[in-house]
Amino acid sequence: MEISKIRLAYRVIIDSSSTILWDKYVFEDTFKEYKMQSQQFNSSENPKNTFRELLSENEKASQLHFLVGIAADGYVQQLKGNFHRVSDVLGNQYFPFINYKLDIINSDITDPLKHKIGITFYSPLLTYFGIIDGNYVVSKNTDNTNEYEVIMFPTRQNLSICFIQKE
């Protein structure tokens, strides 16, 4: 069996229709931060309301992804490195992550209902054994050994391999 090391990525989309309390807090705080931070990239002569318009006028507005992401950092830290919405097939292990990236899908300073962000969580390096019955078979142990405790995460929408290291 060929063994590789991988990183998994899980992306959650948050918008005004999100019903989970954590999402709602992230939504509210990132929208407030967007409204505040976007001012530094907007022109007073020809102001733009939406993120996409602003980005087309000022390429430096791409910094807003990072700047708005800071507003979500405290909420991400609360997760303590495990995203509980993605569990293994037994419901015991949760998606481990070591970092994340927030991206603004769109926003409009005049309409919070148009604010939409994505947060992608990245796993630590995992030993990858393949897909069995629609499940990623991985181990948190990345040492070369003859025995591995494995975790099986169901393949699903928004969960993907984002990095592969062949041995």
Side-chain angles (χ1 to χ4, degrees), residues 44-109:
S44 54
E45 305 84 46
N46 188 16
K48 302 298 179 192
N49 290 335
T50 72
F51 174 66
R52 293 291 163 207
E53 291 172 329
L54 185 58
L55 199 54
S56 70
E57 286 287 314
N58 183 348
E59 65 185 36
K60 291 183 179 181
S62 64
Q63 295 174 40
L64 285 167
H65 296 292
F66 172 76
L67 294 171
V68 171
I70 293 170
D73 192 61
Y75 298 106
V76 171
Q77 298 310 316
Q78 290 174 359
L79 301 174
K80 298 186 186 325
N82 286 298
F83 194 65
H84 291 82
R85 286 185 231 168
V86 181
S87 62
D88 72 355
V89 296
L90 300 174
N92 294 327
Q93 298 281 332
Y94 301 103
F95 183 76
F97 69 92
I98 55 170
N99 57 7
Y100 73 97
K101 184 173 127 185
L102 182 139
D103 63 289
I104 303 166
I105 297 168
N106 206 4
S107 197
D108 186 326
I109 57 173

Side-chain angles (χ1 to χ4, degrees), residues 7-11 95 120-123 158-162:
R7 285 192 200 287
L8 292 172
Y10 182 76
R11 187 166 193 243
F95 183 76
T120 305
F121 296 93
Y122 298 96
S123 77
N158 297 336
L159 179 63
S160 175
I161 296 173
C162 65

